[in-house]
């Protein structure tokens, strides 16, 4: 369950590589901006509350920023990347890692990073990546700020603090409820919003997502299939058809999944797609702030054989999602889930990650439209990694960076043989 990225980096003039020592210095010099990057998950004794974040006294940046050894690099960039993302993050230390592939066959370098979803969502992961990158080729290497871990707490102290925090949350929730009672108009609107979302989600649970060859048992192996498209091509389609850019992206994915199903001998079926929605307010700082997303479900018309009709249906579904209050209602439901007792919370989490609720995730994350650098090395592409929960063999991430939209299909290659065909399928679907 890590989010991440693959970046192709062009070495600076007069050099054939990105230096690990300089990369490590740049990361170390920005860690003070991200306190959680020096913390690890610590269980609360006797399971009295959810695990907590505690400073990791033995933190060493060199454990988290490394260069892949020559023997691994010889396997080729694709196998290096797939092996990196197939390996789970160690739970006994902070949940992130960056690896440098120093030289590719075309003379470029590659950077891969992964951060556990417990720390960040996809939007925040992009900004965390930006803390690694620079906006200018001549940016100075920041000096590390002094850091001293907080004193280690006893097990009894951790348990007491966790229970106290949980009690405080309950008091705050009660206070919000009292505030709504004093403002009956706001209360009624809020209740209606949550009620609409609850009914919508209940319908989604009671009417399961369609059966799909994408929803099978998965193992630990992962593969990242990538394809980049000039942003101008997508924008031209958006303008010509009078729809949103995200509609063009989703319709392209629908066409690609249709082509992939046919290539596998499967009958193309409409799919229910989870679309993560960023709930941050404009200007809200994201880096290190954890997850600030909610979810929406839309039907992806993979079974439709008309390209124009697929785009029309996608656009209509997204408009309905925004119009009917499901997004703020879902956000309110997620916020209220923390108050559930542990057995109910566990059950709700399992339903939320079940193929009964959705077939796959498609996440479109806006990135910077200007070039980024690692020291003097220019970043040519950034491909996102969207995690896949159990019985979901595929996720699709799209990140707009510089002048391109970078598509990533993250999959279990044993569950989906021939998944590499999706790269050509995305291009063919866009042409179509």
């Amino acid at each position: 369950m890590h989010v991440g990225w693959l970046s192709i980096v062009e070495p600076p003039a007069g050099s054939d590589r990105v230096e690990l020592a300089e990369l490590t210095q740049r990361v170390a010099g920005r860690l003070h901006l991200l306190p959680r990057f020096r913390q690890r998950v610590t269980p609360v004794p006797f399971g009295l509350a959810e695990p907590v974040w505690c400073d990791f006294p033995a933190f060493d940046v060199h454990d988290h920023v490394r260069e892949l050894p020559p023997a691994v690099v010889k396997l080729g960039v694709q196998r290096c990347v797939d092996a990196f993302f197939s390996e789970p993050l160690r739970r006994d230390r902070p949940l992130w890692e960056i690896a440098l592939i120093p030289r590719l066959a075309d003379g470029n370098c590659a950077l891969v990073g992964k951060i556990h979803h417990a720390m960040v969502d996809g939007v925040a992961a992009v900004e965390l990546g930006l803390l690694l990158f620079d906006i200018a080729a001549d940016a100075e290497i920041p000096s590390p700020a002094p850091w001293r871990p907080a004193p280690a707490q006893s097990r009894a102290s951790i348990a007491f603090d966790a229970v106290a925090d949980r009690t405080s949350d309950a008091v705050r929730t009660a206070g919000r409820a009292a505030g709504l009672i004093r403002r009956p108009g706001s209360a009624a609107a809020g209740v209606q919003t949550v009620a609409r979302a609850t009914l919508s989600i209940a319908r989604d649970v009671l009417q399961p997502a369609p059966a799909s060859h994408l929803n099978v048992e998965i193992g630990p192996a992962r593969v990242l299939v990538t394809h980049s498209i000039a942003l101008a091509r997508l924008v031209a389609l958006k303008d010509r058809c009078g729809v949103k850019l995200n509609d063009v992206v989703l319709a392209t994915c629908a066409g690609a999944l249709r082509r992939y199903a046919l290539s596998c001998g499967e009958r193309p079926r409409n799919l229910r797609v989870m679309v993560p929605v960023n709930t941050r307010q404009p200007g809200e700082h994201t880096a290190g702030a954890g997850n600030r997303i909610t979810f929406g479900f839309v039907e992806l018309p993979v079974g439709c054989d008309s390209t124009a009709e697929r785009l029309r249906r996608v656009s209509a579904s997204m408009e309905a999602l925004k119009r009917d209050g499901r997004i703020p209602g879902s956000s309110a439901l997620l916020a209220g889930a923390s108050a559930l007792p542990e057995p109910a919370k566990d059950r709700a989490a399992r339903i939320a990650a079940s193929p009964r609720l959705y077939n796959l995730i498609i996440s479109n994350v806006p990135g910077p439209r200007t070039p980024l650098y690692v020291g003097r090395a220019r970043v040519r592409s950034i491909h996102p990694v969207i995690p896949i929960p159990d019985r979901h063999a595929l996720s699709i991430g799209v990140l707009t960076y510089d002048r391109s939209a970078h598509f990533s299909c993250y999959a279990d290659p044993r569950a989906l043989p021939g998944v590499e065909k999706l790269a050509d399928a995305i291009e063919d679907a866009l042409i179509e």
Side-chain angles (χ1 to χ4, degrees):
M1 288 300 292
H2 44 250
V3 297
W5 69 87
L6 159 66
S7 297
I8 302 301
V9 180
E10 180 183 345
S15 176
D16 63 353
R17 60 185 292 129
V18 171
E19 295 296 336
L20 177 65
E22 180 180 332
L23 176 67
T24 305
Q25 282 182 288
R26 290 186 180 278
V27 174
R30 291 162 177 161
L31 282 174
H32 66 283
L33 301 171
L34 300 163
R36 189 145 292 169
F37 270 42
R38 291 190 178 108
Q39 296 177 332
R40 65 175 174 178
V41 174
T42 304
V44 172
F46 312 113
L48 295 175
E50 294 174 347
V52 295
W53 298 99
C54 295
D55 284 354
F56 183 42
F59 175 82
D60 185 342
V61 68
H62 297 90
D63 292 334
H64 299 268
V65 184
R66 61 188 177 95
E67 184 176 295
L68 296 183
V72 175
V73 174
K74 285 181 180 178
L75 298 175
V77 62
Q78 186 64 58
R79 292 181 65 181
C80 286
V81 169
D82 295 346
F84 178 81
F85 289 119
S86 297
E87 183 180 354
L89 288 159
R90 287 178 52 176
R91 301 297 196 263
D92 61 345
R93 64 188 191 189
L95 297 170
W96 64 278
E97 187 176 349
I98 296 170
L100 170 65
I101 303 175
R103 187 167 176 80
L104 308 180
D106 61 4
N108 289 323
C109 307
L111 281 170
V112 284
K114 56 188 176 185
I115 311 167
H116 200 279
H117 212 336
M119 291 176 64
V120 296
D121 57 42
V123 176
V126 171
E127 291 209 0
L128 294 172
L130 300 188
L131 292 174
L132 167 66
F133 304 134
D134 303 302
I135 59 174
D138 56 355
E140 294 183 2
I141 300 176
S143 299
W147 177 73
R148 179 176 296 174
Q153 292 180 276
S154 67
R155 287 168 53 86
S157 176
I158 290 174
F160 179 83
D161 287 349
V163 172
D165 285 344
R166 188 168 182 176
T167 303
S168 297
D169 287 341
V171 171
R172 283 193 292 270
T173 299
R176 286 194 293 269
L180 288 175
I181 291 171
R182 290 192 296 269
R183 300 188 302 275
S186 299
V191 168
Q192 288 174 2
T193 296
V194 174
R196 284 197 299 268
T198 303
L199 287 173
S200 175
I201 293 171
R203 285 195 298 268
D204 289 333
V205 173
L206 293 173
Q207 299 174 359
S212 172
H213 65 122
L214 304 178
N215 301 120
V216 293
E217 295 293 342
I218 61 174
R222 298 289 181 267
V223 64
L224 189 67
V225 179
T226 62
H227 184 67
S228 295
I229 293 172
L231 195 55
R233 297 173 65 192
L234 298 175
V235 171
L237 277 171
K238 172 187 80 73
D239 293 340
R240 178 179 174 181
C241 300
V243 296
K244 305 290 187 184
L245 185 65
N246 192 49
D247 298 338
V248 177
V249 167
L250 288 173
T252 300
C253 291
L257 290 167
R258 177 180 177 82
R259 289 171 176 271
Y260 176 65
L262 291 169
S263 74
C264 297
E266 299 283 343
R267 182 167 69 88
R269 299 171 181 267
N270 291 353
L271 301 174
R272 185 185 295 162
V273 174
M274 177 191 277
V275 181
V277 179
N278 181 20
T279 60
R280 293 172 176 82
Q281 298 301 313
E284 181 181 348
H285 183 60
T286 65
N291 284 269
R292 292 291 187 275
I293 58 171
T294 188
F295 54 86
F297 300 105
V298 296
E299 183 182 64
L300 198 68
V302 176
C304 178
D305 60 3
S306 166
T307 312
E309 180 64 12
R310 284 199 296 270
L311 180 57
R312 188 197 67 77
R313 290 188 191 180
V314 164
S315 181
S317 295
M318 289 303 297
E319 281 299 320
L321 180 66
K322 298 169 188 173
R323 185 177 60 244
D324 66 7
R326 278 183 285 167
I327 296 303
S330 297
S331 183
L333 284 173
L334 284 175
S338 62
L340 292 173
E342 291 303 322
K345 188 185 300 183
D346 179 74
R347 181 62 179 160
R350 292 182 184 278
I351 292 174
S354 166
R356 180 184 180 87
L357 201 55
Y358 64 94
N359 299 111
L360 80 156
I361 298 172
I362 300 181
S363 180
N364 185 7
V365 180
R369 299 291 179 90
T370 55
L372 299 173
Y373 300 85
V374 180
R376 293 178 296 115
R378 179 166 173 167
V379 178
R380 288 297 178 185
S381 63
I382 307 175
H383 288 276
V385 170
I386 309 299
I388 49 177
D390 194 27
R391 293 185 61 80
H392 292 79
L394 174 70
S395 70
I396 299 178
V398 186
L399 190 146
T400 50
Y401 161 64
D402 200 0
R403 290 173 291 181
S404 297
H406 303 285
F407 286 70
S408 299
C409 302
Y410 188 58
D412 179 344
R414 296 171 187 168
L416 294 182
V419 70
E420 65 277 357
K421 299 173 187 174
L422 273 170
D424 288 339
I426 289 170
E427 179 63 31
D428 291 342
L430 183 67
I431 292 170
E432 181 187 28

